[in-house]
Amino acid sequence: MASGPKKFYNYPEPQLAPERAYHNPPHPNPVLRGLPLTVAATIVASSGVLQNFFWGNAGFGSLRGLKELDDYEPRYDPTVIPIEDASAQDPPAAPTAVPAGRHGKGMYHSAADFHALYRSGKATPTDVAEALLPLIRRDASPPGAHSLAFLESKVELIRAAAEASTLRFEAGEPLGPLDGVPVAVKDEVELDGYGKSLGSNRDFSSERGGTSWCVARWAEAGAVVLGKLTMHELGLDTTNNNPVKGTPLNPHNPHYYTGGSSGGSAYAVAAGLLPIALGADGGGSIRIPAAYCGVFGLKPSHGRVSGLPSVGIASTTGVLGPLAGTMEDLELAYRVMAAPDPASPSSALFPVPRPLSAAHTKLLGIERTWFARADEPVKALCTSALQFLTSTRGYKAVDVAIPFLPEGQLAHAMTILAEIGNALHGDVTGLTAANKILLAVGSKTPAVDFLQAQRLRALLMRHLAALFRSHPGLILLTPTTPNAGWPIGSPGTDLKSGVSDGSMSVRSMEYVWLANFAGLPSLSVPAGYAAPTKGEGAVPVGLMGTAEWGAEEALLAWGRDGEAWLHDGLEGGARRPGTFVDVLGLVAA
């Protein structure tokens, strides 16, 4: 049985791309930090000659030589929308009852656990908010122990939301499974009463004001929004290193980054502060930090989740989505936030999210050459997870071929840098040194090369459409990142002034970029833990599934099976970090 709807708006014409041998030569980039980084940023930002040199060194110009692209028209928008059968009835966007929480070693507290506590009368949403505020406020003296993950928390707004939820529980009338549950959002959306800086020293708040649609859906469902979370400045790298706003360290090992750019979101969930957080993903920015921090992260189909009135700075690659400590909560958060927005031309056309109502195909596609490029510890964990899925959860694995992967990653990078540079009108004033270099170089993309990138987008989307039509229900399986975390190179320097390591950035995005460029839904689940190369504390590793446009529910069902590997298959099972905050224990004591 196919895993998704058979009809779509804007579905690519299925056509296998020409065969092409996998060739991914390195494009070495110097690692810059400290004073050399500051000096380089000043020089590169003012020198067109150097900008052109680094642009060429990145390999961006190589797309001009791809004669295979001559047969493809450019595709600028990867939005593909499933058309629901007219006979289907839309259920509520969220479950009407709270499912029973699962307990065990390494398990995170879920929304269901919060509700069980509230219904027991042992604590209230107000108790939870008051327990968390001293931990997360950076305006307190001293700042909270976890305040580096939070940019701002408006105390009066938080208390008001928590008190309203408390009164509903006392009256026996909670709004639903999100009522009273603490959440927070990345500084990439609008939140009434807060500014928006995109992790920078600049103001990017919408003149229209208000709260982004997806966040408003959570708030209207009763969630208590604890404020804004840190991010990599402008979302322009995968570490979450932010010398402007502060860099939260990985809860599992403080010698490692959280990953980015939704690093504050991943930190808050991994540390146990919140069961759910909102992230944004233009090139793995939900899935990479989810993998590095050992939690779950979903990048929805392009255009499905509305962030209006926020306008994304990477409009054809970026989406909003949830991170959570359990699949149960990831599903809950997604189904609420993905309610169609009548004001959004794309979101309005998507069906209301609802669980699968029938058995579905369990088919995993493996691009062997691509998969094998992961580092050995990552490859070993992901291979073991794959064996678990095929031997105990009813999945079948098939080999698939996807040509033009290295070239596609270049095309994605070229596209997102051009989009963000355009959104800033070329103005890099006040940005960190590393981002001044990135945007100065990205701004050199000529129109002819940008068009070649969009031709390659069309080629890849049509090839993927052919795979999905040939293998209904297919989920592409890869590691989330080829590397087990990203150790902080020189903490004293890097955390103070930033770092530019283009080669490692590209390496970390080896698998994630495809879902952004092609508009596919993609989910990272924890696959296990690798020995660290620095410090104490094993480093989480992620496993990623990527599905057909609009097939989020099949992907979430796969995520449930991936969660089973973590708790029932992985030797030693799931692990919570040593810095884990037992919020329920704090308020129930």
Side-chain angles (χ1 to χ4, degrees):
M1 178 181 295
S3 63
K6 295 181 180 180
K7 295 180 180 180
F8 298 81
Y9 295 112
N10 300 325
Y11 198 85
E13 179 184 353
Q15 179 183 355
L16 292 175
E19 294 183 4
R20 184 176 177 86
Y22 189 97
H23 181 58
N24 194 2
H27 298 283
N29 296 281
V31 179
L32 298 173
R33 54 173 47 94
L35 182 60
L37 173 61
T38 302
V39 172
T42 301
I43 296 174
V44 172
S46 61
S47 171
V49 173
L50 285 177
Q51 292 165 14
N52 285 324
F53 169 79
F54 285 116
W55 188 90
N57 187 66
F60 290 145
S62 63
L63 299 187
R64 292 191 184 189
L66 297 180
K67 298 299 183 184
E68 298 93 335
L69 300 183
D70 292 349
D71 293 329
Y72 295 84
E73 292 185 357
R75 175 150 184 168
Y76 305 101
D77 185 354
T79 303
V80 178
I81 301 172
I83 302 173
E84 192 170 46
D85 191 316
S87 64
Q89 295 184 0
D90 289 342
T96 56
V98 179
R102 177 179 176 178
H103 300 277
K105 179 178 176 290
M107 288 292 295
Y108 280 86
H109 296 313
S110 69
D113 296 323
F114 281 89
H115 270 235
L117 181 69
Y118 300 154
R119 292 180 186 279
S120 74
K122 295 179 180 179
T124 67
T126 293
D127 294 331
V128 169
E130 293 297 339
L132 285 169
L133 281 170
L135 300 176
I136 67 175
R137 288 180 61 184
R138 62 167 59 195
D139 62 344
S141 182
H146 301 275
S147 59
L148 271 183
F150 286 77
L151 283 177
E152 189 176 18
S153 297
K154 299 282 190 179
V155 176
E156 295 309 314
L157 294 177
I158 293 166
R159 285 176 171 157
E163 178 61 22
S165 179
T166 295
L167 293 174
R168 290 192 291 269
F169 274 96
E170 289 177 351
E173 298 177 349
L175 296 175
L178 266 183
D179 203 349
V181 176
V183 303
V185 300
K186 184 181 182 181
D187 187 32
E188 201 162 332
V189 291
E190 309 300 329
L191 183 59
D192 198 23
Y194 292 76
K196 184 177 72 175
S197 69
L198 301 180
S200 74
N201 275 331
R202 291 167 59 171
D203 184 10
F204 290 94
S205 304
S206 169
E207 294 182 358
R208 294 167 58 185
T211 295
S212 291
W213 171 268
C214 55
V215 182
R217 302 287 72 72
W218 284 0
E220 289 179 5
V224 179
V225 183
L226 296 181
K228 288 290 196 81
L229 295 160
T230 56
M231 60 180 285
H232 202 109
E233 185 186 63
L234 302 185
L236 270 172
D237 208 345
T238 61
T239 60
N240 216 68
N241 179 310
N242 191 324
V244 173
K245 300 295 186 179
T247 304
L249 307 178
N250 194 305
H252 288 268
N253 185 326
H255 292 268
Y256 279 72
Y257 288 114
T258 59
S261 61
S262 305
S265 303
Y267 177 98
V269 173
L273 301 166
L274 312 168
I276 295 166
L278 180 139
D281 193 316
S285 288
I286 287 173
R287 292 160 291 154
I288 290 175
Y292 286 0
C293 289
V295 298
F296 299 86
L298 173 67
K299 175 222 168 283
S301 299
H302 194 85
R304 181 186 277 276
V305 175
S306 171
L308 292 177
S310 293
V311 176
I313 60 173
S315 59
T316 76
T317 53
V319 301
L320 301 169
L323 296 90
T326 67
M327 277 303 305
E328 176 184 296
D329 284 345
L330 195 78
E331 294 173 15
L332 170 62
Y334 160 72
R335 292 187 185 126
V336 173
M337 73 189 303
D341 178 4
S344 166
S346 58
S347 171
L349 296 177
F350 274 91
V352 173
R354 59 179 181 175
L356 294 175
S357 59
H360 63 284
T361 301
K362 291 190 170 186
L363 185 64
L364 303 174
I366 315 295
E367 219 294 351
R368 297 288 175 180
T369 302
W370 201 24
F371 193 106
R373 283 179 54 80
D375 295 343
E376 285 303 323
V378 174
K379 187 163 51 179
L381 283 167
C382 292
T383 298
S384 295
L386 170 60
Q387 292 170 348
F388 174 86
L389 292 169
T390 54
S391 63
T392 71
R393 309 300 288 191
Y395 285 86
K396 178 182 177 182
V398 297
D399 288 351
V400 297
I402 306 176
F404 297 93
L405 287 169
E407 298 84 358
Q409 186 173 2
L410 279 174
H412 165 264
M414 188 190 309
T415 299
I416 193 170
L417 286 174
E419 288 182 339
I420 295 176
N422 176 262
L424 269 64
H425 306 288
D427 180 10
V428 298
T429 304
L431 300 182
T432 55
N435 279 346
K436 286 181 178 179
I437 294 174
L438 270 178
L439 291 173
V441 173
S443 69
K444 302 307 291 185
T445 298
V448 64
D449 296 283
F450 186 84
L451 289 171
Q452 284 293 91
Q454 309 322 305
R455 290 180 187 274
L456 185 48
R457 191 202 298 255
L459 178 150
L460 288 167
M461 291 182 68
R462 292 178 65 177
H463 182 85
L464 291 164
L467 292 181
F468 292 131
R469 286 292 169 89
S470 298
H471 305 287
L474 182 71
I475 293 176
L476 301 172
L477 193 75
T478 65
T480 308
T481 66
N483 52 298
W486 187 332
I488 302 171
S490 179
T493 301
D494 295 358
L495 299 182
K496 181 179 180 180
S497 59
V499 64
S500 175
D501 187 348
S503 296
M504 185 62 181
S505 297
V506 170
R507 174 71 170 155
S508 68
M509 296 170 65
E510 173 126 1
Y511 302 115
V512 293
W513 66 269
L514 180 61
N516 297 95
F517 203 43
L520 303 170
S522 187
L523 169 63
S524 178
V525 303
Y529 309 88
T533 59
K534 294 186 71 173
E536 300 294 330
V539 181
V541 168
L543 178 71
M544 187 171 71
T546 301
E548 187 178 27
W549 300 274
E552 280 87 351
E553 294 298 339
L555 196 58
L556 291 169
W558 169 81
R560 287 274 191 168
D561 291 322
E563 187 175 38
W565 153 253
L566 183 66
H567 297 296
D568 303 329
L570 177 67
E571 184 177 355
R575 307 179 193 178
R576 297 188 303 209
T579 55
F580 178 81
V581 179
D582 184 359
V583 176
L584 298 188
L586 285 177
V587 298

